[in-house]
């Protein structure tokens, strides 16, 4: 994996192509869903697919019955080997030698080309991108745009070499040339092999969605049509098929509808064979956690917004299905151990979950895949030491942080960054690492009467970074809360929120941390719980109820989840009580992924607060991920560095000399990156800027 990632990181062509496409895709998707209710469409897809998963056995029978009544033939294959054998048998029976294919990622799943070529058949991909990767001997790097990793010059060079004529890098000319070759292959073929986007059980109909029209040609020009269809593509009826067709093109290509939608019921010419492929899908359907992954439409939307995919592309995943959903599918379809490795490529940013039209919680399932590895092989020595040896024992962890804080002065440079021993850390060459603060926020509270009643109370969940590394963030939040009439109570029994442990696949440690935190918070009362860390907020809202489901703490975890709120959202609702001496400073804002992808408008609240405080806010254009992702930045320093570098460029490009963000992790990453560049650019939590401009009510 490391070699593949390094290869991808070394390709500026790849990075440029992916970044360019991703930026265009976001705009096209927005336009395609314009005026439509994406959430309603997504709810419908979830309902339709869930029903289909529950009725999958009946749907297979009904589809076979209906299609065979129209002259088609249905086969069932349990795995890749059986599917390949069936397809080879059909081609042999009909004396077929030349085969054309239209885009079918399911055929990549079973490595069909290799099996057919091994049997002496001539196979030609007819989708332009697939044909390019076939000529190049590559695997597809995207579910929908298989050759996205190649630019026009590389494709022209490939065509020149493989087609025996000098081909200039002109896209229009290359498309014409490809059409000539592919039309000939289509007219000469004995059999056409396709996939299907949908199989309608009630009608025995296959639906194939394409933009090049090759799906229609590959199913109607050759005398034999073979369709390889995953059992997850079955739907009960036409209304359910229409629900999927509403969601698929806008998600896949940013179009309201694709150029060609073919409906096939029975053979167009001589024969039609449909192979319904299981290949791990039954096991997925039976897993309460992973069942939801069967809703996947293979639209690729999750890839297009994934900051990691945007840097390394699809080939680094190497197992046909790429990106976050690829990691999950690989665990069931190809190789569980490989999937466990791939899980480390996820930063947990949740961008994919916001666009998935099938409502799949991809990052959560990736953490479950990481958990499978930890269950089967145990944790790695570093993870074990970190999680089981330190983090799972709150008192020991806090004692360690306190000792590190005491040593911090000796180890730090004048900016509070680690100057001794940093060279040994894999992620410290591209970003400076802060030392633990001399006095943590919790230590500064000792001796204070936390229950001194000056106003209403809130419970303060600081998170580890604001407690031990950036206590000034916690103090700024406390000042702001006090100025809107709230006393903060920080339960000192709070420890790590559990998300880092869960991300590394250690659900046991995460569950213990969640249980301890829930007990500590519930002992405090029923006031709102305010946090300055969006990662902790996500853990409180989603992870704790999930981890504690079925335990005696479940209902308390749910009550706590309902009371948790981010600091900017809490303050904006009380902004009339805040008094500022206008700051008059130019500032830019960095959207933390967990803030942006929670969809609650915390980032909008922060921007409004900064503007109210008098800051001149300048935006960066595209708001990309800074590459922090907690342990991700340590495990994947090469990817994290590229993400950070792009983000630092865009922040510097605003002309502002400082950035606000609502996430202490992003502060660490951006401040550390700017320090490595030796640039005087300050990154701080929003509350610090607000507190700086605040006029206390007693002033
Ligand atoms: S959570 Fe982020 S990094 Fe992980 S798969 Fe989704 S988009 Fe990619
Ligand atoms: S996981 Fe969701 S977004 Fe990704 S390919 Fe599947 S349906 Fe599309």
């Amino acid at each position: 994996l490391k070699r593949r990632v390094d290869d991808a990181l070394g390709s500026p062509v790849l990075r440029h192509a992916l970044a360019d496409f991703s930026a265009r895709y976001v705009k096209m998707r927005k336009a395609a869903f314009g005026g439509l209710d994406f959430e309603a469409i997504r709810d419908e897809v979830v309902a339709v697919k869930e029903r289909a998963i529950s009725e999958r056995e009946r749907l297979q029978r009904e589809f076979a019955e209906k299609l065979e009544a129209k002259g088609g033939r249905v086969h069932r294959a349990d795995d890749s080997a059986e599917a390949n054998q069936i397809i080879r048998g059909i081609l042999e029976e009909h004396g077929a030698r030349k085969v054309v294919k239209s885009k079918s990622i399911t055929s990549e799943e079973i490595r069909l080309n290799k099996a057919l070529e091994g049997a002496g058949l001539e196979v030609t991909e007819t989708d332009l991108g697939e044909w390019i990767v076939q000529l190049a001997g590559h695997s597809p790097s995207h579910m929908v745009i298989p050759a996205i990793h190649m630019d026009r010059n590389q494709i022209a060079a490939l065509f020149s070499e493989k087609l025996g004529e000098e081909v200039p890098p002109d896209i229009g000319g290359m498309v014409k040339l490809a059409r000539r070759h592919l039309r000939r292959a289509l007219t000469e073929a004995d059999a056409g092999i396709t996939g299907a986007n949908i199989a309608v059980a009630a009608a025995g109909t296959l639906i194939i969605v394409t933009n090049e029209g090759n799906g229609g040609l590959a199913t109607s020009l050759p005398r034999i049509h073979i369709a390889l269809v995953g059992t997850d593509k079955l739907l009960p009826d036409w209304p359910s098929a229409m629900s999927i067709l509403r969601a698929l093109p806008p998600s896949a290509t940013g179009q309201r509808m694709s150029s060609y939608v073919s409906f096939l019921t029975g053979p167009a010419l001589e024969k039609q064979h449909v192979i319904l492929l299981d290949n791990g899908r039954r096991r997925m359907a039976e897993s309460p956690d992973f069942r939801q992954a069967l809703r996947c439409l293979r639209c690729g939307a999750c890839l297009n917004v994934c900051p990691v995919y945007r840097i390394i592309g699809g080939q680094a995943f190497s197992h046909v299905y790429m990106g976050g959903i690829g990691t999950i599918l690989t665990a069931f379809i190809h190789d569980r151990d490989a999937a466990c490795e791939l899980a480390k490529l996820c930063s947990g940013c949740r961008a994919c979950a916001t666009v998935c039209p099938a409502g799949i919680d991809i990052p959560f399932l990736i953490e479950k895949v990481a958990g499978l590895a930890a269950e089967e092989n145990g944790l790695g020595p570093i993870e074990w030491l970190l999680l089981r040896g330190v983090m799972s024992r709150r008192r020991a962890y806090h004692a360690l942080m306190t000792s590190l804080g005491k040593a911090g002065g000796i180890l730090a440079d004048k900016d509070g960054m680690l100057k001794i021993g940093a060279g040994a850390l894999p992620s410290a060459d591209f970003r400076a690492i802060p030392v633990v603060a001399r006095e943590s926020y919790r230590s500064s509270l000792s001796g204070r009467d936390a229950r001194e009643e000056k106003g209403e109370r809130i419970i303060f969940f600081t998170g580890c970074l604001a407690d031990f590394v950036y206590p000034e963030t916690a103090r700024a939040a406390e000042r702001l809360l006090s100025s809107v009439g709230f006393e903060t109570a920080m339960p000192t029994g709070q420890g790590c929120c559990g998300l880092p442990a869960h991300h590394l696949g250690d659900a046991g440690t995460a569950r213990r941390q969640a249980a301890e935190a829930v007990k500590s918070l519930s002992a405090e009362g029923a006031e709102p719980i305010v946090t300055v860390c969006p990662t902790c907020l996500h853990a409180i809202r989603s992870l704790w109820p999930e981890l504690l489901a079925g335990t005696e703490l479940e209902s308390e975890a749910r009550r706590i989840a309902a009371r948790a709120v981010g600091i900017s959202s809490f303050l904006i609702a009380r902004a009339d009580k805040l008094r500022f001496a206008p700051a008059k400073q130019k500032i830019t804002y960095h959207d933390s992924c967990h803030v942006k992808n929670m969809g609650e408008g915390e980032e909008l609240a922060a921007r409004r607060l900064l503007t109210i405080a008098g800051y001149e806010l300048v935006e960066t254009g595209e708001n990309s991920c800074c590459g922090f992702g907690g342990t991700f930045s340590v495990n994947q320093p090469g990817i994290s560095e590229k993400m950070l570098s792009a983000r630092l460029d865009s922040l510097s490009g605003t002309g502002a000399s400082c950035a606000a963000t609502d996430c202490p992790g992003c502060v660490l990453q951006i401040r550390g990156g700017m320090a490595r560049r030796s640039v005087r650019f300050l990154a701080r939590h929003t509350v610090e800027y607000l507190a700086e401009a605040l006029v206390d009510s007693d002033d």
Side-chain angles (χ1 to χ4, degrees), residues 67-68 70-73 90-96 189-192 217-226 265-274:
L67 182 63
E68 291 189 351
K70 299 280 182 190
R73 169 98 198 275
I90 295 167
L91 293 170
E92 218 169 275
E93 184 190 327
H94 295 292
D190 305 302
L217 295 174
T219 53
S220 58
L221 289 178
R223 56 198 167 88
I224 320 290
H225 172 216
I226 301 172
T265 312
L269 294 173
E270 279 179 32
K271 294 280 177 198
Q272 185 188 48
H273 293 263
V274 176

Side-chain angles (χ1 to χ4, degrees), residues 302 305-309 323-324 345-353 362-363 366:
C302 51
V305 298
C306 173
V308 175
Y309 178 88
L345 292 176
C346 175
S347 72
C349 73
R350 301 195 59 76
C352 50
I362 301 162
I366 293 174

Side-chain angles (χ1 to χ4, degrees), residues 143 251 293 295-303 325 352 355-360 362:
M143 291 178 193
S251 301
R295 295 183 213 141
C296 178
L297 312 182
R298 310 284 192 268
C299 68
C302 51
L303 307 178
I325 187 66
C352 50
V355 298
C356 175
I360 303 170
I362 301 162

